[in-house]
Structure formats: structure tokens, C-alpha cells
Amino acid sequence: MAANYWESTQRKHWQVSSECLSQWRNATEERLRLSKHPNANIDLGDPTHIRIFLHGLLVKLGHRLSCRQQILATAELYLARFYAKASVKETNPYAIVTACLYLACKIEEYPQHIRSITAEARALWPDCVSSDSTIIGQCEFYLIEEMGMCLIVHQPYRSLKQFSRSMSDIYQGQLIILPDEMSCAWSVLNDSYITDLPLLYPPHIIALAALFVAVLTKAPRGSVSDTAVSGSRMANLADWLAQCGADLSAISNCVQQLLSLYHSWESYRDSTCQQIISKIINTS
Amino acid sequence: MKGRKPSIKAESVAKPSATNPLGTFKQYKDGTRVSVLDKYEIAGYIAAGTYGRVFKARSKDSRVEDEYAIKKFKSEKENEVPQYFGISQSACREMALCRELHHENLTNLTEIILEDMSIYMVFDYAEHDLLQIIQYNSYTLRMPISEGIIMSVLWQLLNGVCYLHENWVMHRDLKPANIMVTSGGVVKIGDLGLARVFYRPLQPLFTADKVVVTIWYRAPELLLGARHYTPAIDLWAVGCIYAELLSLRPIFKGEEIKMDNKKTVPFQRNQMQKIFEVLGSPIDEWPEVAQFPEFQAMQTLKTYRSNLDGWYRKAGGTNMRGYQLLAALLKYNPDQRITALDALNHRYFTEATNLSGNAFEGQDVIYPSRRITNDDTDIKTNAPPKRSGGSSGFYARKRARN
């Protein structure tokens, strides 16, 4: 529940193994193939690129509505859950993104009228979103159903703040997370929603991985003494992680997935993905 | 001309579009969904409220003997043709919270079915509720509710509220009609349609909901226009419910001033006056009261001497600890009002010898079963609920006039 991740529906129903995720995805692909769906054979390219594209849509609409990060993160997780069970090829992601944000606003107690959110989405993507808001309402229904009505989500941001506080308590200032690292870790968490991590790991593990990535990438480069300092910071961090009994293999798995996201991002082209999605949606 | 005319086959596997964003996924889901009427047999109609209608149901699986209460939300607009207008904030909250919360003293959600643009929430059935119990004692038995029942009900109610608060959830609509009691005497708090999470809210609680809690159970800080408030509002309501169990009538039965427009919330003068008549003026015990938006309006009310102990004796109360707990629940100052956890550990309970988890244990009285009617058992229609008394309890029905 709000206070307890371990008793939450997120833990019980929406934290799955990577095998389970692939199984869901394969089943969807199989269904499209068997029903001879016109988009079944469209090549989506690097799946991460499509995820980056969807993330971009959500962030864009969220900023137009002045949504806080907490709302965006909830909507991102809804989107990830939905597309774990459905395929981008068989749906209109612009409408799904809008429905995710509409629902997240309500659940995070920052409700927006369905007509105004539809109007904002339409202003951004006039060819892809209908002016009829009941269509977004319909998407909301199917979205909620697909999520098994599990709507309250736990996010890693809270854990990140807690870890930073507890570290400075333990090391009496020696290993305080620098403001730079903290804001970097925060951005890494924002990006973590592009990956499968929120479906695979509990929020605190993702928060620790983000912290690790932040310390790693913010490490000063250049002089030998700097490298030594950053090396010892990394060692301290690893030491602290081991001390708190965190699942190190899970964390390292997360770190790898985050780093591979950034690697894949280097070859990302927005226009390419937009073309692929246009091919999927009938815009006539 | 070949291929010009789209065949039905081609249309059924059309690409997703702006007007059909779910494409074939929708057909796939519609084809696999189990209907509410496939699983449940509607035994009768229980009640209607502002939220929709509630039906009593049984499983069609003959091996399952359990009974259920199915709540069907009415659509956002009173429209003959149902449409997807977006799910109401209230339905979203209730679905989200009921899915997460599990406790002996909360109504248990069995499942939620989304079908034909409607939401069906399937709950475990409860035979009684506190409003019905109070009315039965008041009008039929014409005698007070026995102390054993009151103590057990109050303890279980506090136990459920404590669980909610531990999980950062405020109920915000506690009242006798929303507190169920099973035939086994177990209290089940129902109707989470106004409940919300209060952990680090993104905006002041007042911004999201201008009015919370049914007026007779509304805490003074809410009546005084508080922009921020705390779970202490639920404990005030518990205090009012406790008082009502003792005296069989609402302790602060004010007349509600209806809101004439949605923007401004009127000062509920008469309700505040009713509280003053029993508890006196709050100024001495609650200096911060001067900072509330409606303080000036409150100042014009007639003041009285605090007389809760007189009220308690008149209601037939004899237990000193019971009085102390009542006074602690009805503290004006929300910061000094007892918390649910402290109330559970109050000496009223800890010194009791006969506190039971079954409110009916050792009791002679047998409360009648819930009234079920058969004039409306069609759960699939979207007919607006029949005229109800404006009461909006979980199993709302018209409250008899005294």
C-alpha cells in the first residue's frame, strides 16, 4: 500500500521475471501473426528506440499540462504495463499515452478534465488524436482492465532521497551524495521508465542502481589524483551497498540495462521512429 | 473495381487510428472477457446513492456459497446512452484503494469487472450496518444498544481506521451507513469513494475536494474552512458515531446549507452551532482557531458552556473510561485529538473484561437481515437510480425522520 511496497499490488502482480515479460510479448506477436494483422510484419527496429519515442510523447504532453514528475512517472509505468501486454503495432500510441496521463493525474490527485487533456493532446498531434474525448475515455477503460485495476504505484524517487539521507548519517559526511550526483541519479530514474526495469525490480533496487550510475558518470576525469578520489568514492559506495544487504546482482543487472539504454540512445533518431509509428496508424 | 470496396474481413483487421486507437486489441479483449452475469446471479436490489446502485448477488458456481454486494457505478453524466466520459475521481479512488488495502475491518473486494462501459465492484456481502442497527434499537426495540456491542464495534472501527491511517489513507466519509457489520459481528468499513492517500500531496487537500465528510460527522477544522487537514478528521467522525451508538441519534444534527454554486463553500453555521451547544466554545483549548478562514463567522455564534459530561449522562452512559474516550475523540484541536492507535490502547478497552472481536457475542438481540427488493434486479440497465432520500451511504437508503 502507500506505505508498504511489499504488500502492494505492484509487488504482487506487476513485478515479474524477464522470462514472463518475453512470454507476454511473444504471445502478443503470435496473436497478431495468427490474425493476419496488417501491421504484424512491420519492423519496429531497435525496441528501445520505440520506447524512447513513447517516453518523449508522454513527457511532451505532461509538460504542456504542467504535470509534476510524480505524475509522469506513474503514467510511464502505466504505459510500460500496457505495452507489456499489448503491442504498439495494434494500437495508436498517441491515444494510449494520453489515456495513461489522464488516469495518472487522477490517481496522483491532480485531476484534469478529459476534454482539456484531449484538446492538449490534439494540439500536439492533430492527425493522431481525435477531438472526441470519449475515445480517450475508452482507452482508459481498457488500460485499467489490462492493469488488473492495479493503479497505485511505488516510485524509486522516495527511496533515492532516503538512501542519500541514510548514507550521510552513516558516514558522517564522508560519502554524502553530491548535489550533482543527486540530480544525475534523479534523471537516470526518469529514464529508467524507458526500460523494463520498473516491471522487473522493486523501486529501491532501481534507486540504488541510479545512484551507482550517477556516481560513475559524474566521476571527475583527468588528473591521477581525481581518479583516485573517484575510485575511492566508488569503493565506498560499493561498500555501503554491501553493508545494507542489498541484492548486488540485481543492482548490477539494473546498472547494465541503464548503461545499455544510454548506449542505444546514441543512435536514436526521432524522425525514424515517427515514420514507423505513422506506418502503424491509419491517418487517412 | 476489384478491391475498391472494403470487405467486412478487411475492416475487422483495420489498422489502429485516431478514432479507433485500440484497433484489434479491443476486439481481442472483448472476445475474452467474462461477463458479470456469467459469474454472478443477482439476488436482489439493495440500494442506490449518488455513486450508483448496489445489488446482492451469489456466485453461479454452486460450490461457492458466499454472498456478494455488487456496486455498479453510474456513469459520469445522467445519460440514457452510456458513453466513455472518463471514470470519475471517486470510482478511480475506490478501485485503486480497494485493490491495495486488505484488513479484517475493511470491506473485502473480491474483484472488479469492467464491462459495457460500466464498472462493477464485487464486495463480500455484509448483513448489517450501523445505521440499520441504530434504527432498529431506536424504533423497534426502543432501548439502547448494549454496551458490549458498542465497545466491540468501536474497537473494530478504530482498528480499521488505524490500518487506513498507517497506510497514509484518510477515509473522509465515516458515518453509520458506511460501517457494515457481518452476521458474525465483524465490523467492515466500506465506501472508499472519498478516501485518498495523504502522503506528500501535490496540492492542498482542499483544492481537490472542497467538501468532505457528511455534515453531521464533519470535524470543526473542516467546518472552519481548513485548507490542510489531517487524519484527525476521521477520529472526529468516529467520535460522532460512538455518540450516536450511545444515544441512538446524531450528536450534532445540524441543518446543511446547500452550496448554491460550486466555487464558494458556505459556512455551515447551524452545524457549528450544534457542536457549540454540547462542547462549548473552542477558543480556550484551541488558540489556533483564530487563524481559520471562517473564524470571524464562528465568532457570531451563540456560545455555551462545555457540557459533554452532561450529554453523556443523559445518553445513559455510566462508564468513566467510555466518557474519557469520547471526550478525547471530540477534541476541538485536531493536534490534541486522540489518534486511532492511541484510542485502541485507551483504558476504556484495556480495562474491559469482555471486549470481543464479534460484536454480537453473548448478545440476546438478533438484528433483522438487510432488506432486499426484487423490483429492480437488472444490473445491466443504465437506468438512473430510483429516487432516494439523498443519503449516500454504501447501502444508502432513506433515513427515517425522528
Side-chain angles (χ1 to χ4, degrees), chain B residues 262-297:
Chain B
K262 291 242 161 109
K263 293 247 164 62
T264 52
V265 181
F267 175 54
Q268 296 292 350
R269 207 179 161 76
N270 186 258
Q271 182 61 30
M272 199 73 207
Q273 186 73 67
K274 296 286 174 187
I275 298 173
F276 271 34
E277 286 170 17
V278 179
L279 297 178
S281 162
I283 299 199
D284 294 335
E285 69 155 288
W286 189 19
E288 297 87 345
V289 72
Q291 279 138 42
F292 281 84
E294 300 290 0
F295 177 68
Q296 293 306 328

Side-chain angles (χ1 to χ4, degrees), chain A residues 37-70:
Chain A
H37 194 285
N39 292 336
N41 295 321
I42 285 184
D43 180 12
L44 295 179
D46 182 345
T48 308
H49 287 174
I50 293 294
R51 301 283 291 271
I52 296 172
F53 180 75
L54 297 184
H55 165 79
L57 298 182
L58 191 68
V59 169
K60 213 166 163 186
L61 182 58
H63 285 172
R64 252 187 109 92
L65 293 154
S66 319
C67 291
R68 300 272 297 268
Q69 182 55 37
Q70 183 182 323

Side-chain angles (χ1 to χ4, degrees), chain A residues 122-185:
Chain A
R122 198 169 151 75
L124 285 173
W125 313 299
D127 294 336
C128 307
V129 177
S130 161
S131 58
D132 178 359
S133 63
T134 64
I135 287 170
I136 299 303
Q138 184 189 52
C139 292
E140 179 192 31
F141 241 73
Y142 284 79
L143 172 66
I144 292 176
E145 184 183 43
E146 206 49 37
M147 293 197 293
M149 298 73 177
C150 303
L151 304 178
I152 291 180
V153 304
H154 291 253
Q155 300 175 352
Y157 302 97
R158 208 160 128 188
S159 313
L160 181 64
K161 284 192 219 150
Q162 283 166 353
F163 288 134
S164 145
R165 268 198 303 273
S166 102
M167 281 166 91
S168 55
D169 287 352
I170 293 171
Y171 291 90
Q172 283 140 16
Q174 264 190 33
L175 189 100
I176 294 176
I177 299 296
L178 306 171
D180 249 18
E181 293 165 341
M182 195 62 184
S183 71
C184 174

